[in-house]
Amino acid sequence: TQLLEQSPQFLSIQEGENLTVYCNSSSVFSSLQWYRQEPGEGPVLLVTVVTGGEVKKLKRLTFQFGDARKDSSLHITAAQPGDTGLYLCAGTDSWGKLQFGAGTQVVVTP
Amino acid sequence: DSGVTQTPKHLITATGQRVTLRCSPRSGDLSVYWYQQSLDQGLQFLIQYYNGEERAKGNILERFSAQQFPDLHSELNLSSLELGDSALYFCASSEAGWGPNTGELFFGEGSRLTVL
């Protein structure tokens, strides 16, 4: 079982549309990270959220950390084909291990 | 380029065999992590080393072992290979060694293992 549940598993949208992916857990995390992985490459860090209720913006990407620090969301505005990739959330568990969710595969078609 | 180097990039071998995957972390990073990524399991944490010592252990099979050497490079040894061991194996490094905030992990490009 995954400590972090991501939804949806797969998302296919047209260029210019908005999308939101979710990362949920029954555990509290001191911090949560979002990574993006492209084919043939390793994951690359997008953002780290630390404070409950925190909202961080990275150009067209908006990340939110839940008030209870158990969940997070990633919203992409006006998606572009370059946003295509596997989006992974990751949190450090109580044993100090960085655990990843299964990921959401996002495909943005022109 | 993350600065993390993994070799080999691709490896094809037979069941029952043994392979060694190698990882050189980013310059200055003391922590090395190994992850296994397969289609049905996602990215699974295997093991972490910090400055030569094992720091955390995840879902690593007894057939697998790892170590970090004095020059900080790491090796993941996979033995008695089974078909189900076919996966992408990622190495990552970070400055941090322990604690609730791991900091950014820098991943290599992975080693794709195919067991036939």
Side-chain angles (χ1 to χ4, degrees):
Chain A
T1 53
Q2 294 281 358
L3 187 64
L4 291 160
E5 299 289 337
Q6 288 192 244
S7 61
Q9 288 182 306
F10 180 81
L11 197 54
S12 180
I13 61 171
Q14 297 274 58
E15 182 176 2
E17 293 181 340
N18 301 333
L19 69 98
T20 303
V21 299
Y22 300 92
C23 175
N24 295 293
S25 176
S26 57
S27 302
V28 175
F29 293 98
S30 57
S31 67
L32 201 139
Q33 299 176 331
W34 283 92
Y35 288 78
R36 181 171 69 206
Q37 184 179 12
E38 298 185 23
E41 299 180 9
V44 175
L45 182 69
L46 295 173
V47 78
T48 300
V49 285
V50 178
T51 307
E54 181 178 3
V55 176
K56 275 192 175 177
K57 292 194 175 185
L58 198 68
K59 297 183 181 178
R60 294 175 294 99
L61 277 61
T62 302
F63 303 85
Q64 186 160 6
F65 200 14
D67 291 339
R69 290 186 286 127
K70 292 182 179 182
D71 56 271
S72 182
S73 64
L74 157 60
H75 182 80
I76 302 180
T77 304
Q80 298 176 1
D83 296 325
T84 293
L86 180 68
Y87 289 82
L88 297 156
C89 65
T92 303
D93 65 20
S94 53
W95 293 274
K97 304 171 202 171
L98 186 66
Q99 303 279 15
F100 282 80
T104 294
Q105 180 64 52
V106 172
V107 175
V108 183
T109 53
Chain B
D1 182 7
S2 67
V4 177
T5 305
Q6 287 188 248
T7 57
K9 289 195 180 338
H10 301 275
L11 195 54
I12 301 174
T13 189
T15 54
Q17 295 297 306
R18 172 191 170 94
V19 298
T20 297
L21 309 181
R22 194 178 190 280
C23 170
S24 294
R26 239 175 29 128
S27 178
D29 285 356
L30 298 179
S31 272
V32 169
Y33 308 76
W34 286 98
Y35 285 86
Q36 179 194 56
Q37 187 176 43
S38 57
L39 283 174
D40 58 341
Q41 292 288 322
L43 202 59
Q44 297 288 317
F45 171 73
L46 295 178
I47 198 164
Q48 177 202 355
Y49 281 84
Y50 178 77
N51 202 21
E53 293 189 8
E54 183 183 304
R55 189 53 63 96
K57 212 167 189 176
N59 303 322
I60 187 166
L61 300 172
E62 286 191 10
R63 299 184 286 109
F64 297 179
S65 65
Q67 54 184 326
Q68 186 180 28
F69 295 87
D71 68 351
L72 301 178
H73 92 270
S74 178
E75 292 182 356
L76 179 66
N77 300 295
L78 315 175
S79 61
S80 302
L81 285 168
E82 302 175 359
L83 296 177
D85 297 328
S86 295
L88 259 175
Y89 291 84
F90 283 104
C91 169
S93 72
S94 74
E95 292 180 5
W98 186 252
N101 296 311
T102 311
E104 180 174 1
L105 261 60
F106 295 86
F107 283 82
E109 293 184 344
S111 292
R112 181 174 293 280
L113 172 66
T114 302
V115 182
L116 301 176

